[in-house]
Each structure stands twice: as C-alpha cells, then as structure tokens.
Amino acid sequence: MAARDYYSRGQNLVYNRPVLAIFAVIGVFLVFDIFRQLGTGTIAVTDLVSYLWNGLVLGMSLGLAGVGLSMTYSILNFANFAHGDLITSGAFAGWATAFLIAGLGEFSVESLILIGGPIAVGSNELGINVVNTPLALLAGLLVAAVLTAALSLLLDRIVFKPMRSADGVTLMIASVGVALFLRNFLTFSFLTDSRGLTGGNVPQFTVAGVTFGGHQITLVVVAALLMLGTHILLQYTKIGTAMRAMAANKDLAKVTGIPTERVVKLTWIIGGGLTGCAGFLIALQQGTLTVTMGWDLLLLVFAAVILGGVGSIYGAMVGGVILGIASRLALVWIPASFLLVAAFVIMIVMLLVRPSGLFSGRTTA
C-alpha cells in the first residue's frame, strides 16, 4: 500500500511538475556521483570538507551582505544598486580605523588612513590580525557599521526621500547614480590599487587534514551572531513588528498608526549597519581591499536574495548559505573559473522550480 502511494505521488510529480522532477533526478545523480568519487578516491574526504567549509564562509558573507538589500526592498520596494558600494564604503571606513588604531603613535595619521596605499604604511608593518590586534579590528567593525548606517541615512535624505512616491524603476535608476558617485569618490580618495590588509602570522587551525583560517572563523561566527540579532530584532521588538507590518502592507501600517517614516529611517540604519559589517568582515577574510570589491560581489548578493525570495530577510540569509555551499561543491565537477556561472545556474534552477524563491518574497519581512 505504501509503495503504491509513493508511486502515485511520483507519477503526479512527473505529470504536474515535470521540471521539478527532472531537477530532482539530476540532484540525486549528483549526490550519488559524489559518493562514487569518494569511493574510488577521485576526490578525498578532506577536499570535500574543504569545499563545504569554504562554501559556508562565502555563504555567510553573501547572507549577511544580502540582509540590508532585502530590508531596502521589503520596506521601500526597489532594488538598491548602490548596495555594493555601501559594502565597499563600510570596508574602507572600518579598515582606515583599524589601521589608525593599530599604528597610532608609531606612524603618521595620514599614512595610516590611506590603508596600505602607495604612500601609506603597509599591512605587514602593522601586523594586523585577530590575534595581534583584536581591539583594532573590533573598533574597525563598529566604525564600519556606524559610518555605513550614517551614510545610508544621508543618501536617503538627499536622494531617496524626495523620490519616495516614485516607482521602483525610477528609484533603482537613482541608486545606480548613487553607486557611481560612491565608487568614484572612493577611487579619488584611495586610488584603484589593491591593498593588503592583514599581516603577521594569521592563525590557522588544521583538523583531520582540513585547514580553517582564523579570519574565516571570525567571519562565520560574527555573521551568525549578527543574523541572530537581526532575527531577535524582527520577532521580539516593537521595531521589528513595525518593519514586518510595513513589509506586508504599507498603507494598512499607516492606518494603524505606525510611524512609517521613522520605520524607513530605522531600516536604513539597521540595513546600513549590517552592510558595513559585511564589508569589513569580507575584506578581513580576503585579506585585500579594492574600490570595486562590493560591486564585484553585488551580482552574487542579488543572486542569493533572489534565491531566498526577493524582500525576505530570512531568505537572504538562507539563500546566501545555499548559494555559497552549492557553488563551492560544484568544484567537484567544474574548474574554479566557472564558479560564478555555477552560482547563477543554481539561482535559475530555483526560479524555474519555485519562482517566488525559498521564502516566497516578503512574507517574513
């Protein structure tokens, strides 16, 4: 009886949702192929665990970076293309602070705030890492959050607030202009050179042949704590309740007395703060920083948000982790140069199977 029931369900799936059935078969085949390669020794267990760990690191980066983007969309209903350059702005603000604190008293202020540029103090001279200079990194993280939140609020006041009644396309185009302005301002201030950030003996831990970088662990732990804090804020505070109400129905939120303009400001502050933290942590994990860092990440952040459900904060978190792990697991079959392609193939497959995303859009704010 049970076998017949399973057969009936399978038959209905093939007839009613053939695309899902095809991808399910492909997924099962890929899982079996991984076990086959493990059994034949084509891929080592340590390599597979390394792929999973590196995927988790990438996924937490994308998830944290995507939260602010989802907040903007859920409350203001537009895709903010300046988000990538807000990530970069937070990174530069935070690392200028970290360099300043780490080298204060030994080097001039001007040479420190340029963050290892052509005429600045190099990262190796300062030896910045989580073991040698934890206070400098903590201060940098806090400054990245505060200044990016302030910058987001300022941009809203100057650019987006006067256009509050405009449609989403108009706001999106305006955000492209903001992105270009921010990127060119950073280029003018810091030039286009790639600069090293960390130095000294960066801690690493090897467990059963798998290496876990100290800065990778820092990113994963801090990002997880920030995501947990966002969850608590959304579910257990009045601010979170107001934000979820506005995401669900802005007009009804107004009628019920929710101060919508205040909620918009808080959205920019919270989203901007998380974006700045993401930029600082991503730069810490990479060990380098350029003026195009956020722009280079933006497509992947959008992919993670779309995968989880546009406008869903929880969707951005989960979508980022899934995208990161799946794209790194793809190294079992494809070369590293095709990882970006793999990430977007995963997004397209999800849209074909579930067009509204994993968390169905804005239902979770």
Side-chain angles (χ1 to χ4, degrees):
M1 189 71 179
R4 184 181 299 176
D5 187 45
Y6 284 126
Y7 175 78
S8 177
R9 290 181 182 179
Q11 193 176 42
N12 288 335
L13 178 65
V14 171
Y15 285 140
N16 298 328
R17 304 191 67 182
V19 175
L20 177 58
I22 292 170
F23 287 129
V25 171
I26 294 173
V28 171
F29 171 78
L30 292 176
V31 170
F32 274 107
D33 188 61
I34 288 177
F35 282 105
R36 180 191 65 80
Q37 293 192 49
L38 288 171
T40 59
T42 306
I43 179 175
V45 174
T46 53
D47 290 336
L48 183 62
V49 175
S50 294
Y51 294 154
L52 291 171
W53 169 246
N54 290 328
L56 178 63
V57 173
L58 174 61
M60 295 298 280
S61 303
L62 297 177
L64 183 61
V67 170
L69 187 62
S70 285
M71 280 187 173
T72 305
Y73 187 89
S74 64
I75 303 299
L76 298 173
N77 201 32
F78 80 96
N80 184 12
F81 275 79
H83 189 76
D85 294 281
L86 287 173
I87 292 173
T88 310
S89 299
F92 270 97
W95 279 99
T97 303
F99 268 60
L100 185 61
I101 292 176
L104 195 61
E106 297 182 41
F107 304 96
S108 67
V109 173
E110 307 92 274
S111 64
L112 290 169
I113 61 174
L114 291 175
I115 319 176
I119 59 172
V121 177
S123 57
N124 288 329
E125 297 176 74
L126 296 174
I128 295 180
N129 60 54
V130 291
V131 173
N132 293 343
T133 57
L135 293 180
L137 292 178
L138 178 60
L141 181 68
L142 293 175
V143 169
V146 171
L147 288 188
T148 310
L151 177 60
S152 300
L153 202 58
L154 179 64
L155 291 172
D156 177 60
R157 178 81 178 196
I158 296 173
V159 180
F160 299 117
K161 186 176 180 180
M163 304 173 65
R164 197 79 84 211
S165 59
D167 58 69
V169 174
T170 303
L171 289 168
M172 181 188 71
I173 294 172
S175 73
V176 173
V178 171
L180 293 172
F181 168 77
L182 290 176
R183 201 172 319 135
N184 281 283
F185 178 79
L186 290 172
T187 301
F188 176 78
S189 302
F190 295 97
L191 306 180
T192 58
D193 303 282
S194 175
R195 56 207 70 214
L197 300 175
T198 55
N201 295 319
V202 178
Q204 292 186 337
F205 308 92
T206 301
V207 180
V210 180
T211 301
F212 301 87
H215 292 161
Q216 290 180 318
I217 295 171
T218 301
L219 184 150
V220 170
V221 171
V222 175
L225 290 174
L226 290 171
M227 290 178 183
L228 177 61
T230 303
H231 165 70
I232 293 171
L233 175 76
L234 286 174
Q235 299 298 329
Y236 302 106
T237 67
K238 291 183 179 179
I239 295 172
T241 302
M243 290 175 68
R244 288 187 286 118
M246 274 197 68
N249 191 317
K250 186 176 180 179
D251 294 331
L252 184 59
K254 275 185 178 180
V255 172
T256 55
I258 292 175
T260 54
E261 195 57 39
R262 186 185 302 172
V263 172
V264 169
K265 289 180 181 178
L266 288 171
T267 299
W268 282 112
I269 292 171
I270 297 167
L274 292 172
T275 301
C277 289
F280 183 85
L281 291 170
I282 291 168
L284 172 66
Q285 186 269 321
Q286 292 179 346
T288 58
L289 179 60
T290 67
V291 294
T292 60
M293 181 190 78
W295 178 253
D296 295 337
L297 278 173
L298 187 61
L299 285 178
L300 279 176
V301 175
F302 267 112
V305 169
I306 293 169
L307 178 65
V310 177
S312 169
I313 293 169
Y314 298 119
M317 298 176 187
V318 176
V321 172
I322 291 175
L323 193 68
I325 291 176
S327 64
R328 286 298 183 264
L329 270 181
L331 285 171
V332 174
W333 301 283
I334 64 174
S337 57
F338 286 92
L339 283 184
L340 190 62
V341 176
F344 282 99
V345 167
I346 294 164
M347 182 194 72
I348 292 169
V349 168
M350 176 53 66
L351 290 177
L352 289 172
V353 173
R354 191 178 175 87
S356 57
L358 289 171
F359 284 73
S360 301
R362 293 183 290 174
T363 55
T364 57

